[in-house]
Every structure is written in structure tokens, then in C-alpha cells.
Amino acid sequence: MEVVIAPPAQLARLAADAVEELLRSRPTAVLGLATGSSPLAVYDELARRHAQDGLSFARARAFMLDEYVGLAADHPERYRNVIEKEIASRVDFAPGAVQGPDGLADDVRAACAAYERAIVDAGGVDLQILGIGTDGHVAFNEPGSSLASRTRIKTLTRQTREDNARFFGGDVAQVPTHCLTQGLATIMSARHLVLLATGRGKAEAVHQLAEGPVSAMWPATVLQHHPHVTVLVDDAAASRLQLADYYRETFAAKPGWQGL
Ligand code: GLP
């Protein structure tokens, strides 16, 4: 696991560099897209590179991590609509190239199984962008999630619903109680995981992710078992890291050719 501590604007550029490098070397790459505020600056940077530098997503595909259950198709906070607004509509993905779990499916189990198959049929995710919840969840894999889980329905914790209430006019009662989410094993199948976290509120989760014991109580700790993880954090999110000085020295001394 590589931990990079840098100002937020640089973190977004580093993540965009990784996406750009992948797309330029393999235009048909499969991306994993996350919602939440953490990746927004990355999406801004990718949209800018699309508009100004000709970075193309035309042959790429993308899979979303998760979706609320039961939000109307036109609800602005439905993750499918959020991803459309924040990134898909700003670049040149082909129609149908971006997929997400179907939070309005009648048969939830069949929809989750179909989603797993679609990811496999696409050849798996090459680069997965991730955020992290204050309780250490990734996608919507809340504490207690099986480290071997696949796409399924989950109940959101009170903490997550309170954290996300800001997107629902501050009213936690408006935040759905259930979601469909890629499982931890689904996420672990992606070839490169790029996790972004900023702000002091993420400091404990980031410490556990990088330095805590692997445990379902901090679901993101399963990433310690992945061979290629990049954790991009600002000073505030890094404030509880025991090895912060080492991570800083390591990044400063990194050979230029190495990339992320
Ligand atoms: C939500 C999403 C996660 C995201 C997390 C953190 O619960 N399902 O994918 O990582 O929030 O969000 P933010 O980046 O806004 O802090």
C-alpha cells in the first residue's frame, strides 16, 4: 500500500494522472467510479483534460460502486444521476458504457448477481476510484461486512445516513435506509485501487486503513491484502498516521519513472 500525503489539488492531479496513463495505454480500460465528495476534484480534473488535452473515454467502460435502494429514477441524489452529472456527461463515454447496480430492481438478488457478471464479462475493473466513510466503510460496506462479500443489499448505519444527510437537505429521514453495494471481494478484484480522503474527519479511518489490524469492524482494512493500492490523503486526513514521516520521505524519494 502506497500512502501519499499532499495538498488536495495535487491529490486530484495524481489520481487523474493514473487514470490518464491507463486510458492512453489502454483506451478500452474499465474504470470503477465512486460517489461522495472525495473524488469530485478528480472528476473535475478528468473533465478538464478531456476538454483541453483530448483525453478520451470513448472506448472505455465504467462501473459504479453502489446505489441507494428506492430513490426515484429522476432523484438528483440517486448515484446513477450523481455520476452522470459529475463525470459521465462531462466526458465522451459511449451510451451505456457506465453501469451501476439497479436500486429500483424488483428482484434485488438477481440484479446484484447480474451486476457481478457484467463486471466479469467486461474483463474486470482496471482502476477503481474509492473514498472512505468516517467509520471505515468503502462503497457501502459498513462495519461488520464480510471481507469476502460480493454485490448485495446492505442496511446503512445511522452514522453513514447522518454523514450523507447533507446531500438530502440536512434531513437524515430523507436518506434511504438501504443500498446495493459492490462487496469487499468485488472491490478487491479490481487491479488498482486509488483511495482519496481529505479532512480531519477521515483521520481515524485512514489510520485504521493503513496501519490498523485487518478487521470487518474497519472494512477498508481489507485493502491491506491488495497488491496495488494507492492511498491519497491530505495533511488533515493523515494526522493520525503513525508512519506519516516515512510515507512523506518515501514519496519524496520516489523514482520519477515509477508512477502510482
Ligand atoms: C458514501 C459512499 C462512499 C464514499 C463515502 C465517503 O457513503 N457510498 O463510496 O466513499 O460516502 O463520502 P465522502 O467522500 O463524501 O466523504
Side-chain angles (χ1 to χ4, degrees), residues 29-50:
V30 179
L31 302 174
L33 300 175
T35 46
S37 41
S38 304
L40 292 181
V42 182
Y43 298 154
D44 287 346
E45 180 62 16
L46 290 173
R48 189 193 66 72
R49 294 183 191 194
H50 168 66

Side-chain angles (χ1 to χ4, degrees), residues 205-229:
V206 167
H207 161 61
Q208 293 291 339
L209 155 70
E211 300 172 337
V214 175
S215 160
M217 281 306 287
W218 290 94
T221 57
V222 72
L223 270 55
Q224 293 176 26
H225 282 292
H226 193 285
H228 192 184
V229 181

Side-chain angles (χ1 to χ4, degrees), residues 31 33-34 43-44 46-47 50 57-58 61-62 64 79-99:
L31 302 174
L33 300 175
Y43 298 154
D44 287 346
L46 290 173
H50 168 66
F57 296 71
R61 302 184 58 178
M64 295 166 45
Y79 277 175
R80 189 67 192 76
N81 298 332
V82 171
I83 285 292
E84 185 65 24
K85 171 167 167 263
E86 301 296 351
I87 180 68
S89 65
R90 302 166 74 193
V91 297
D92 59 345
F93 277 116
V98 180
Q99 297 184 58

Side-chain angles (χ1 to χ4, degrees), residues 41-129:
V42 182
Y43 298 154
D44 287 346
E45 180 62 16
L46 290 173
R48 189 193 66 72
R49 294 183 191 194
H50 168 66
Q52 295 175 11
D53 307 336
L55 178 63
S56 177
F57 296 71
R59 297 173 61 204
R61 302 184 58 178
F63 288 91
M64 295 166 45
L65 280 175
D66 47 11
E67 182 58 277
Y68 290 115
V69 167
L71 283 188
D74 62 352
H75 195 292
E77 290 308 323
R78 184 180 173 234
Y79 277 175
R80 189 67 192 76
N81 298 332
V82 171
I83 285 292
E84 185 65 24
K85 171 167 167 263
E86 301 296 351
I87 180 68
S89 65
R90 302 166 74 193
V91 297
D92 59 345
F93 277 116
V98 180
Q99 297 184 58
D102 182 2
L104 289 170
D106 290 330
D107 186 340
V108 165
R109 262 189 292 213
C112 291
Y115 196 60
E116 286 281 329
R117 270 196 309 276
I119 296 172
V120 171
D121 289 349
V125 171
D126 291 301
L127 188 155
Q128 174 67 58
I129 295 171

Side-chain angles (χ1 to χ4, degrees), residues 34-39 65-66 68 79 130-134 137-140 142 156 160 164 166-167 196 198 202:
T35 46
S37 41
S38 304
L65 280 175
D66 47 11
Y68 290 115
Y79 277 175
L130 291 170
I132 187 169
T134 55
H137 73 247
V138 283
F140 270 137
E142 299 283 27
L156 299 174
T160 296
N164 289 0
R166 67 190 191 279
F167 298 116
L196 294 114
T198 54
K202 300 291 174 70

